[in-house]
Amino acid sequence: MILLSDPRVAAVSSRDDGEPLVDLREVPGLRVDGRAADPAGAYARVRRGVADRLLAAQRALPAGLRLLVVEGYRPYRAQLDIFTGYRDELRRRHPDWPADRLHRETTKFVSPVEVAPHSTGGAVDLTLCDADGVELDMGTALDATPEESADACFTAARHIPVSAWRNRNVLVAALSGAGMVNYPTEWWHWSYGDRYWALMTGVSHTRYGPL
């Protein structure tokens, strides 16, 4: 399992092709949930190439299922606050952890700001819902931490209900088929064009840099 703390991620050359952000609330056919909404509406924005791939993934879903996007672009400050908040929580829970382990465990849930996929506009947190917007059981809540879920938030976790495991496989098949990459400790996190995507797909540089 390659984490965002892996030096190979930071070593990927960062470039930006200038592709604009689009507001998913204005994209017909995609559902956007407001639980992560911010006053500026950043949460609903992603790069155009990501929006195209979400639409392709949705077309690949079984009849009656839809993607439900929760968060896209995340500004630097917001990313830093989430990272330091979770790191400090882990430090309180595990005062015996050395600094390197603390950093590694933190990055299982939130990316260091230097390589954060969300801050490029190339990442989304999402889940599945039915035609009425009712969310499917995915085994854990979206944004469940490894600590609170006993690692059940890991995409390949098997200590979840069979129905949830099948739902995850549906999500994986649709998004992988559309060219997106999953962060393996978070079943809900998918990206395209960022450093993690580049490393996992063997591309020499990013399409999207930090915004």
Side-chain angles (χ1 to χ4, degrees):
M1 182 186 297
I2 297 178
L3 298 178
L4 283 158
S5 57
D6 193 302
R8 289 173 291 179
V9 178
V12 173
S13 175
S14 180
R15 302 184 191 176
D16 194 294
D17 66 9
E19 191 175 274
L21 293 172
V22 297
D23 192 328
L24 293 179
R25 295 171 295 184
E26 300 173 359
V27 177
L30 288 177
R31 287 180 179 263
V32 181
D33 183 274
R35 75 190 76 172
D38 60 288
Y43 79 103
R45 294 185 171 91
V46 297
R47 300 282 189 147
R48 184 174 56 208
V50 174
D52 291 343
R53 283 159 179 78
L54 292 177
L55 288 168
Q58 184 156 274
R59 289 192 293 269
L61 291 174
L65 296 186
R66 304 279 297 277
L67 297 177
L68 181 64
V69 177
V70 174
E71 187 176 17
Y73 174 62
R74 185 184 296 154
Y76 175 93
R77 183 75 245 177
Q79 182 71 31
L80 180 61
D81 288 346
I82 296 171
F83 182 87
T84 56
Y86 187 57
R87 182 198 60 199
D88 292 348
E89 176 187 334
L90 290 181
R91 182 184 286 122
R92 288 191 296 270
R93 291 187 179 190
H94 305 282
D96 56 323
W97 280 359
D100 58 345
R101 181 175 182 186
L102 178 64
H103 183 73
R104 176 180 169 82
E105 296 295 330
T106 301
T107 65
K108 288 182 179 179
F109 179 64
V110 57
S111 173
V113 293
E114 298 82 9
V115 296
H118 279 286
S119 297
T120 69
V124 288
D125 293 339
L126 45 64
T127 187
L128 291 173
C129 67
D130 64 18
D132 296 320
V134 178
E135 293 179 42
L136 274 59
D137 178 16
M138 303 300 284
T140 73
L142 189 150
D143 273 347
T145 70
E147 287 273 306
E148 68 192 17
S149 71
D151 294 344
C153 59
F154 288 18
T155 307
R158 294 304 303 264
H159 55 296
I160 59 174
V162 172
S163 59
W165 182 76
R166 289 174 178 160
N167 290 337
R168 289 190 188 184
N169 284 342
V170 169
L171 188 69
V172 167
L175 289 163
S176 297
M180 300 190 73
V181 166
N182 173 244
Y183 191 49
T185 63
E186 300 178 339
W187 58 261
W188 57 85
H189 178 98
W190 292 80
S191 68
Y192 169 79
D194 65 302
R195 277 188 165 112
Y196 195 80
W197 165 85
L199 178 65
M200 300 308 294
T201 58
V203 178
S204 62
H205 59 82
T206 67
R207 285 196 62 189
Y208 310 140
L211 293 172

